[in-house]
Amino acid sequence: DFARAVFKHVNPYTGMTWGEDPAFLYIGMVNEDSLVVNVIKTIGLCSGPLKKRFEKDFEEDCARKGIAITTETRRQLFADYLSSVFASFYQDMLSFMRNELGIKCLISDQNNSNETVYPENRMGLDFLDTHAYWDHPNFSSWYTHNISIIRSQHANFGSWIAPRLVGKPMFMTESNFVYPNTQRSEEG
């Protein structure tokens, strides 16, 4: 309903819907919705009943396909399953955005932790998006280490562009040296 309200809105000056308007460069459909990160890595965004539902559906999917789950294969099979769930979800959203709403601009998803998104899923995106943070606070205790990125031997700028695929446009839509880090002026 929200997407319909936004992208079916007609600009009174151009007569175009916002979905048709070339003023929009790109749309990232859902913010930081990587199933692999949010379900397997358990950063707290998908837990409790929802995580149990994913696990139950995964086990039923393996049973239907005759795939044996072992201790050694469980994590990889679960990641593969979540990747296929995302692919189906993304295609459904993309079809809605393009066909029902008439969106013409670039559309993507998976804007965090792109390295955990399977290449076949990433190739289907119109563009790649990443978020880059330095010394991000730990959510459980909300502290930073106050590390200088300039002096750090652990600074890995390459990880910020690691999601890049040759021939695919890429944006960095979030970047921050997070407060209360006293070194945050280095971002400039």
Side-chain angles (χ1 to χ4, degrees):
D1 290 341
F2 176 77
R4 275 188 197 94
V6 170
F7 295 109
K8 287 290 193 178
H9 172 76
V10 176
N11 181 330
Y13 303 103
T14 65
M16 288 187 286
T17 67
W18 281 7
E20 301 166 320
D21 199 323
F24 287 91
L25 175 62
Y26 62 84
I27 296 169
M29 286 194 276
V30 181
N31 189 44
E32 299 190 356
D33 64 330
S34 169
L35 287 179
V36 173
V37 171
N38 293 329
V39 177
I40 292 181
K41 290 190 176 180
T42 318
I43 61 172
L45 299 178
C46 181
S47 58
L50 184 56
K51 183 174 181 176
K52 286 181 178 148
R53 173 64 188 267
F54 275 119
E55 289 169 347
K56 178 180 175 283
D57 291 350
F58 156 68
E59 289 170 3
E60 289 173 359
D61 185 64
C62 285
R64 259 192 318 276
K65 294 175 179 173
I67 299 171
I69 304 169
T70 67
T71 305
E72 294 80 26
T73 63
R74 182 177 189 80
R75 185 176 173 90
Q76 184 62 52
L77 289 171
F78 193 33
D80 292 347
Y81 170 75
L82 292 172
S83 176
S84 70
V85 169
F86 166 76
S88 175
F89 173 66
Y90 179 75
Q91 286 306 314
D92 188 46
M93 288 191 305
L94 184 63
S95 176
F96 169 74
M97 299 289 273
R98 293 268 188 240
N99 301 329
E100 187 171 329
L101 301 183
I103 306 259
K104 305 269 190 249
C105 68
L106 297 172
I107 297 177
S108 192
D109 197 67
Q110 300 292 307
N111 53 9
N112 73 322
S113 302
N114 276 300
E115 68 280 359
T116 62
V117 179
Y118 284 33
E120 59 272 17
N121 289 348
R122 294 173 60 218
M123 290 305 295
L125 304 173
D126 290 345
F127 67 95
L128 301 174
D129 185 2
T130 192
H131 295 169
Y133 290 89
W134 175 251
D135 199 19
H136 197 290
N138 178 309
F139 287 113
S140 62
S141 56
W142 205 253
Y143 70 90
T144 64
H145 297 94
N146 286 306
I147 298 169
S148 164
I149 197 167
I150 295 168
R151 293 187 189 127
S152 174
Q153 296 175 353
H154 303 289
N156 183 359
F157 298 107
S159 69
W160 290 355
I161 59 168
R164 178 88 163 92
L165 292 175
V166 175
K168 235 345 138 186
M170 183 176 161
F171 298 94
M172 183 182 291
T173 56
E174 288 184 23
S175 170
N176 199 354
F177 285 35
V178 185
Y179 179 84
N181 185 330
T182 57
Q183 310 297 321
R184 67 189 180 280
S185 63
E186 292 176 347
E187 183 176 20

